[in-house]
Amino acid sequence: MKETIPTNFIRQIIDTDLASGKHNSIQTRFPPEPNGFLHIGHAKAICLNFGIAQDYNGLCNLRFDDTNPEKEDIDYVHAIKKDVQWLGFEWAGDIRYSSDYFEQLHDFAIELIKKSLAFVCFLNGDEMREYRGTLNKPGKNSPYRDTSIEENLSLFEKMRNGEFKEGECSLRAKIDMTSSFMCMRDPIIYRVRFAHHHQTGDKWCIYPMYDFTHCLSDAIEGITHSICTLEFQDNRRLYDWVVDNVSVPVKPHQYEFSRLNLEYTLMSKRKLNMLVEDKLVDGWDDPRMPTIAAFRRRGYTPASMREFAKRIGVTKMENTVEMSVLEACIREDLNDNAPRAMAVLDPIKLVIENYPEDKTEDLTVKNHPSDESQGTRIVPFSGELFIEAEDFREEANKKYKRLVIDKAVRLRGAYVVTATRCDKDEQGNVTTVYCTYLEDTLGKNPTDGTKPKGVIHWVDADKSLDATVRLYDRLFTVPNPAATDDLQQVMNPESLVVIKTAKVEPSLTAAKPEQAYQFERQGYFCLDNNITKTGDLVFNRTVGLRDTWAKISK
RNA sequence: AGGGAUAUAGCCAAGCGGUAAGGCAGCGGGUUUUGAUCCCGUCAUUCAGAGGUUCAAAUCCUCUUAUCCCUGCCA
């Protein structure tokens, strides 16, 4: 794929910081919360953060933002690590966890208390909300706001020691209850939770909040450019307040970009989790999901995902990217790199009546039409083949460039045949087509100067293998499913079509999971990476070929 | 007594006072043993709108409009 280095406003800021000497080296981080699988929107953030580190000779940490043990799970940390690596990135040093810093964070909280910038508050949830005010109404100070430093120190100590119940009290920063930034109205920075944590076990019963944790974790790690999404723009004021009021050696800065929206899918972890929980899909890596794991299972390549991230760019504009951009990226990669093979999804029999009975041939076929380095393979041929049902019509107009009675067509990589007649079942469906072949047309056109206008794919009836093929399509019928209340209503009933009676050429026994093939004239497919029985041939369609015929025939 | 952001083609997106890049999609044509690929051509007299500054404005100023985000002990 093209090797142009992208430019965007964040890279421009970095260029300026480097030129001015504000920074001599660049340190970024990708900070997922392990509460679900990463989706393609995260891939955008990963490519941004790791890509910057790469291009500027800097470093990028992978840090799990694990301050909410009730929603997080170790399984998600494993999945996330795998996704980042699969995308082709390497994090600096060890994996980081915000929970690694709990002790330091605790000390910083004490520092705030000592500066009279934090206090233990006993307001309950409802009271807290009432005191907070609204967008148009200032909040009022908590009655606990003026507790003495000594008393606060002691109360916070008690919080840590588990002497208060969940929700009974919290530690709050003392900022400004009249601020127009809601997050500055004395935000909670620690809450009591008697929850087991996947990293720290039962060591803590108080957990720091995001706004307190994230900025300080950045500072501890020496992050120079802390990149996050637009919804945190207001939070930047709190980010700055915290690093300004606590003794950290460096003050990182936060920059926000717009998150990715993709047509016909969802990009909210919460909603994706609902699909999984409600069994509307078959897990986080169901190939219809927009998760990185699902794209991998579907046959997308890391390079295609990186190319996608590059093409969509990074700005502060709200955006919804069309699916066609993603599809163009994977087609471009796979067109160059996927070996070709033949598979018949909806088979009908083709009998070549003038082909010598019992004769079989091993035809040598190119694995790629233009890239000779991909070599050739053997495809068995005989007088009985399977072809695609839609590739035959008893009669058709000139636009139809396939097999028609009394018309010639090229069998891909093999001979030119002319259909003579066909058999049908009781319902009138064609079951067998009879034809004659021109012996001297292997690798050349008929000697009479005619040239068949069409080419169709086929497999040998006897030596082809049974396979299951799963055709995936968009999960939703509407471009913006997030805007509807009932997701089930807008799910695409044809998002998955399973074909259990496909026939594929024998070379496909060598297929490896996730390894792409182009099934000629149909699309790109790969062997599923979650096959229950070894030896089963289950192919997932990554994406179809561009199909101008579909437009013409409409 | 609200505040924070954003507006350039159908969708993304460059542009940073000197006369609208590129990609995807679309459209027209050519090559082709994949209706694929590839190749060629085409696709914004105008940058949310209205004023203003300037020899010159998508870029600077003013006002207006639209959209998104913020009132979790989530991140």
Side-chain angles (χ1 to χ4, degrees):
Chain A
M1 302 218 155
K2 298 164 216 141
E3 284 313 322
T4 50
I5 296 197
T7 177
N8 58 53
F9 77 98
I10 293 175
R11 283 171 181 258
Q12 287 172 349
I13 289 166
I14 291 173
D15 290 338
T16 304
D17 290 348
L18 251 16
S20 71
K22 180 176 177 184
H23 297 295
N24 296 314
S25 61
I26 300 302
Q27 175 76 246
T28 57
R29 101 271 91 114
F30 173 63
E33 185 190 10
N35 65 345
F37 275 53
L38 261 26
H39 55 59
I40 191 167
H42 294 108
K44 173 181 179 179
I46 290 168
C47 291
L48 213 211
N49 279 292
F50 283 93
I52 283 171
Q54 242 163 35
D55 296 340
Y56 286 90
N57 253 305
L59 260 20
C60 180
N61 293 344
L62 173 59
R63 178 171 79 230
F64 288 97
D65 213 339
D66 55 350
T67 57
N68 188 4
E70 291 168 319
K71 285 193 177 151
E72 294 156 10
D73 194 287
I74 189 74
D75 290 345
Y76 294 129
V77 344
H78 295 316
I80 290 168
K81 281 154 73 172
K82 182 173 179 179
D83 288 344
V84 173
Q85 285 173 319
W86 178 77
L87 274 177
F89 296 107
E90 211 172 300
W91 49 83
D94 296 332
I95 300 268
R96 323 295 169 106
Y97 296 88
S98 295
S99 56
D100 292 342
Y101 314 133
F102 279 177
E103 201 65 58
Q104 290 172 78
L105 260 17
H106 171 82
D107 293 344
F108 284 135
I110 288 173
E111 182 182 349
L112 283 183
I113 295 172
K114 286 180 173 165
K115 287 177 172 168
S116 195
L117 290 174
F119 63 100
V120 175
C121 182
F122 288 85
L123 253 26
N124 66 33
D126 288 340
E127 293 166 331
M128 192 85 76
R129 201 170 308 121
E130 198 185 313
Y131 274 75
R132 188 157 37 225
T134 70
L135 297 178
N136 299 303
K137 204 179 78 191
K140 354 173 249 207
N141 286 165
S142 161
Y144 304 95
R145 202 176 199 259
D146 295 320
T147 308
S148 73
I149 291 171
E150 292 67 33
E151 178 73 2
N152 276 137
L153 251 13
S154 149
L155 289 169
F156 188 49
E157 176 76 19
K158 286 181 179 170
M159 272 177 73
R160 180 182 187 169
N161 292 336
E163 295 177 41
F164 295 115
K165 295 195 293 282
E166 287 188 6
E168 188 176 354
C169 62
S170 59
L171 183 71
R172 292 226 261 164
K174 199 185 289 185
I175 309 181
D176 177 7
M177 289 307 289
T178 67
S179 175
S180 52
F181 295 101
M182 297 301 288
C183 65
M184 296 297 267
R185 318 246 264 223
D186 290 7
I188 291 173
I189 57 177
Y190 264 93
R191 79 286 215 181
V192 177
R193 284 289 177 280
F194 293 94
H196 185 82
H197 189 285
H198 53 98
Q199 300 300 318
T200 60
D202 297 311
K203 182 174 180 194
W204 295 88
C205 65
I206 53 171
Y207 289 96
M209 301 290 287
Y210 165 84
D211 285 305
F212 184 68
T213 308
H214 198 93
C215 53
L216 292 174
S217 300
D218 283 344
I220 288 165
E221 293 178 12
I223 303 301
T224 54
H225 300 263
S226 179
I227 305 167
C228 65
T229 44
L230 249 31
E231 65 271 26
F232 293 100
Q233 286 177 119
D234 287 359
N235 299 246
R236 187 175 67 242
R237 278 70 184 186
L238 180 49
Y239 186 109
D240 291 342
W241 185 92
V242 173
V243 296
D244 281 344
N245 285 290
V246 128
S247 311
V248 287
V250 291
K251 297 185 200 308
H253 283 276
Q254 174 182 302
Y255 302 91
E256 311 88 11
F257 71 100
S258 54
R259 59 194 310 152
L260 167 69
N261 295 291
L262 237 198
E263 280 192 341
Y264 298 100
T265 191
L266 293 169
M267 216 59 82
S268 130
K269 260 200 228 176
R270 203 189 101 253
K271 286 181 177 169
L272 293 175
N273 191 224
M274 273 169 52
L275 295 179
V276 174
E277 291 294 317
D278 298 348
K279 303 245 190 286
L280 265 23
V281 294
D282 186 26
W284 284 97
D285 69 341
D286 184 311
R288 294 169 293 178
M289 292 280 274
T291 58
I292 295 173
F295 281 116
R296 174 168 65 234
R297 186 173 173 190
R298 183 151 165 177
Y300 274 73
T301 59
S304 71
M305 305 276 289
R306 281 185 248 117
E307 176 65 17
F308 176 70
K310 192 192 292 182
R311 288 188 190 185
I312 60 176
V314 176
T315 67
K316 297 175 83 135
M317 268 186 276
E318 294 289 337
N319 62 84
T320 303
V321 176
E322 291 176 348
M323 225 22 133
S324 63
V325 181
L326 218 206
E327 291 175 347
C329 292
I330 187 59
R331 286 193 185 113
E332 185 176 301
D333 184 351
L334 265 24
N335 177 56
D336 289 346
N337 300 310
R340 314 286 120 129
M342 289 195 283
V344 176
L345 271 35
D346 184 12
I348 57 173
K349 196 162 263 188
L350 181 71
V351 177
I352 308 170
E353 296 188 282
N354 62 337
Y355 193 82
E357 206 154 326
D358 297 330
K359 180 178 176 182
T360 62
E361 287 182 79
D362 281 338
L363 301 180
T364 299
V365 178
K366 288 204 284 188
N367 287 330
H368 191 279
S370 53
D371 180 4
E372 301 291 335
S373 76
Q374 294 196 32
T376 60
R377 68 187 186 284
I378 298 297
V379 182
F381 183 90
S382 74
E384 283 199 17
L385 311 173
F386 287 117
I387 61 169
E388 211 69 63
E390 64 173 20
D391 284 342
F392 171 76
R393 286 184 193 173
E394 289 182 83
E395 46 190 80
N397 62 27
K398 279 201 291 288
K399 277 187 181 171
Y400 185 81
K401 303 197 295 179
R402 307 180 185 188
L403 192 58
V404 178
I405 288 183
D406 292 333
K407 301 273 165 57
V409 78
R410 160 76 64 183
L411 292 177
R412 178 69 163 155
Y415 303 94
V416 171
V417 297
T418 302
T420 51
R421 63 195 166 90
C422 66
D423 291 341
K424 296 181 195 168
D425 62 17
E426 310 80 59
Q427 286 85 250
N429 299 314
V430 173
T431 52
T432 305
V433 178
Y434 298 88
C435 68
T436 57
Y437 86 119
L438 260 27
E439 191 179 354
D440 195 28
T441 53
L442 201 53
K444 49 183 151 177
N445 284 320
T447 46
D448 63 4
T450 62
K451 189 182 168 190
K453 57 187 173 185
V455 178
I456 64 171
H457 60 276
W458 53 274
V459 294
D460 184 85
D462 186 42
K463 293 183 175 145
S464 61
L465 306 169
D466 293 329
T468 294
V469 172
R470 299 199 282 229
L471 304 178
Y472 293 105
D473 198 356
R474 54 179 60 139
L475 228 203
F476 297 99
T477 55
V478 293
N480 183 16
T484 73
D485 300 322
D486 186 3
L487 286 179
Q488 218 162 147
Q489 287 289 310
V490 294
M491 287 195 65
N492 178 8
E494 289 175 0
S495 60
L496 171 58
V497 174
V498 181
I499 295 170
K500 294 190 168 159
T501 53
K503 301 281 185 183
V504 303
E505 63 170 75
S507 73
L508 257 7
T509 44
K512 303 273 189 302
E514 298 170 21
Q515 184 188 79
Y517 285 91
Q518 184 196 104
F519 289 174
E520 292 208 62
R521 302 210 306 132
Q522 300 192 116
Y524 298 97
F525 295 78
C526 72
L527 196 67
D528 189 56
N529 66 11
N530 190 19
I531 286 172
T532 43
K533 199 160 96 237
T534 51
D536 270 4
L537 293 179
V538 179
F539 291 96
N540 297 333
R541 182 171 68 189
T542 310
V543 66
L545 255 29
R546 258 188 81 232
D547 190 359
T548 43
W549 168 243
K551 280 182 222 161
I552 297 165
S553 58
K554 238 184 250 173

